[in-house]
Amino acid sequence: MYVQEVKTASLGDRPVPVVVEDPARLAAFEARVAADEFVEPKDWMPEAYRKTLIRQISQHAHSEIVGMLPEGNWIGRAPTLRRKAILLAKVQDEAGHGLYLYCAAETLGVSRDQMTQALLAGKAKYSTIFNYPTLTWADMGTIGWLVDGAAIMNQVPLQRTSYGPYARAMVRVCKEESFHQRQGYEAVMVLAAGTPEQKAMAQDALDRWWWPSLMMFGPPDDQSPNSAQSMRWRIKRDTNDELRQKFVDITVPQAEALGLKIPDPDLRWNEEKGGYDFGTPDWDEFFAVVSGEGPMAHERLTARREAWDNGAWVRDAAMAHADKRTARVAA
Amino acid sequence: MSRELPLWEVFVRAKNGLSHRHVGSVHAADARMAIEGARDVYTRRLEGVSLWVVPSDAITASDPGEAASLFEPAEDKVYRHPTFYVVPDNIKHI
Ligand SMILES: [Fe+2]
Ligand SMILES: [Fe+2]
């Protein structure tokens, strides 16, 4: 559910220069992409395009997979059987999203195991949002509403991203995200209309998730050095700040309808621009979390490593079984 | 590290009467497990009534570099299309 490609954790980074490619091929490629044609796996593409895509798609995939952890944590504690079934289905969808994306990245010549190892080694990034803890049941509703809501905002334009397999994966993902956001909003609605304690719980969750959700769109445009290249290659279709503004504009009325208050003293309607003015997220916190300093970063990676290690014997046994059957057929 | 599970391409028939269509891929040790994985990954919402899985390395694709020589010759063969032939308006059922 995360698509904001993060090159490195520091603000001062220069854009990646386009490596020396055959100028004629490069020009033909750029013209195709500028004409909104799709690029398919076996087509010629500049190395920098391939690398950027591998990084962005695998980060996106890792985010879906790591994103299962904060919610999976509440499956056993969902308040009703209905909520439990919904949450299970949502978390299973996120696994599916991760797999659609890994398979899109694999068409670029990187293997699944390489991507998994990069994640487990702490070398790959995933969305900062999943390095925050899920403290109460209200967090489940709020994540669906805000985090999946921000993901939708990011992912909808990517259905037209220039790389075909990525775009097709996004079409599948977007079809499923709407359920995620609506079930979340509905869960918050129930709390907001509940007892004073329940309403306070919903407000507390909004207070904690609001700013991290705004950060999901990535650093401000003037501090996002790779954006221009990615826009030119149609890997990215809107700037971080444009998407963030859109998100604020549609989310504020949703919060008002719930009777909840967005935790931003600078938030006010700007008639002239036809959108809200809002405060600045704490970007120092963002970059700290990107580089693995989030409150839950260690726990998230530990959980993924354990899952991988504990599943090793199953993968090995399945392969041994398949080998044995192949040998028997051959004999 | 252990061997990577093989890659399978997945094809789904949305409903009877339609062809199977490529939807993506899964990793699995054998065909049976690939079907089971594909079922969970690609058909959680009634997307299909039948699945095919094919080892990815069993697929041979045409080379995009040959696309011009393979497909462009069809461009100047308009006489392969019915609209190439002019038939008077008063001739029916043709
Ligand atoms: Fe997702
Ligand atoms: Fe989602």
Side-chain angles (χ1 to χ4, degrees), chain A residues 42-44 89 92-97 99-100 103-104 106 111-114 117 172 175-176 179-180 308 312 314-316 318-319 321-323 325, chain B residues 1-7 9 12 21-30 32-33 37 39-45 47 60-65:
Chain A
K42 297 189 82 192
D43 294 348
W44 183 87
Q92 194 192 15
D93 275 354
E94 304 302 0
H97 297 178
L99 297 179
Y100 308 154
C103 100
E106 285 177 274
S111 79
R112 176 77 57 90
D113 278 1
Q114 280 174 322
Q117 289 313 317
R172 304 185 70 85
K175 271 191 201 149
E176 298 175 354
F179 144 57
H180 299 178
W308 179 255
V314 180
R315 294 189 298 275
D316 291 344
M319 284 304 286
H321 177 70
D323 289 347
R325 286 185 52 149
Chain B
M1 201 179 67
S2 0
R3 253 158 73 210
E4 187 173 71
L5 298 178
L7 190 63
E9 297 302 318
V12 175
R21 191 170 148 211
H22 183 244
V23 291
S25 61
V26 291
H27 283 274
D30 60 28
R32 178 72 222 165
M33 293 180 81
R39 178 244 179 218
D40 285 344
V41 178
Y42 294 104
T43 63
R44 290 193 301 283
R45 288 182 176 76
E47 288 93 337
T60 306
S62 64
D63 176 356

Side-chain angles (χ1 to χ4, degrees), chain A residues 300-322:
Chain A
R300 298 288 183 246
L301 276 192
T302 305
R304 285 315 305 155
R305 284 188 196 118
E306 279 172 9
W308 179 255
D309 293 343
N310 295 341
W313 71 270
V314 180
R315 294 189 298 275
D316 291 344
M319 284 304 286
H321 177 70

Side-chain angles (χ1 to χ4, degrees), chain A residues 172-188:
Chain A
R172 304 185 70 85
V173 165
C174 286
K175 271 191 201 149
E176 298 175 354
E177 288 293 3
S178 177
F179 144 57
H180 299 178
Q181 192 187 21
R182 288 173 70 109
Q183 64 81 30
Y185 192 76
E186 190 208 58
V188 181

Side-chain angles (χ1 to χ4, degrees), chain A residues 204-242:
Chain A
D204 164 67
L206 175 57
D207 291 347
R208 283 181 289 110
W209 291 98
W210 176 252
W211 292 107
S213 299
L214 293 195
M215 293 179 195
M216 283 177 70
F217 297 97
D221 293 346
D222 56 5
Q223 295 169 30
S224 182
N226 301 318
S227 277
Q229 177 68 279
S230 286
M231 300 269 288
R232 205 154 58 95
W233 277 338
R234 303 282 203 273
I235 291 174
K236 206 176 150 92
R237 314 246 11 174
D238 300 271
T239 75
N240 300 352
D241 287 334
E242 283 164 8

Side-chain angles (χ1 to χ4, degrees), chain A residues 45-64:
Chain A
M45 60 188 84
E47 260 325 287
Y49 176 85
R50 183 187 301 277
K51 286 217 177 81
T52 303
L53 273 174
I54 289 177
R55 195 168 53 225
Q56 179 171 326
I57 301 173
S58 62
Q59 284 179 5
H60 194 163
H62 297 327
S63 300
E64 304 284 352

Side-chain angles (χ1 to χ4, degrees), chain A residues 1-16:
Chain A
M1 56 173 59
Y2 162 80
V3 294
Q4 177 48 53
E5 190 234 351
V6 178
K7 171 73 175 74
T8 70
S10 93
L11 277 175
D13 262 42
R14 298 278 113 220
V16 197

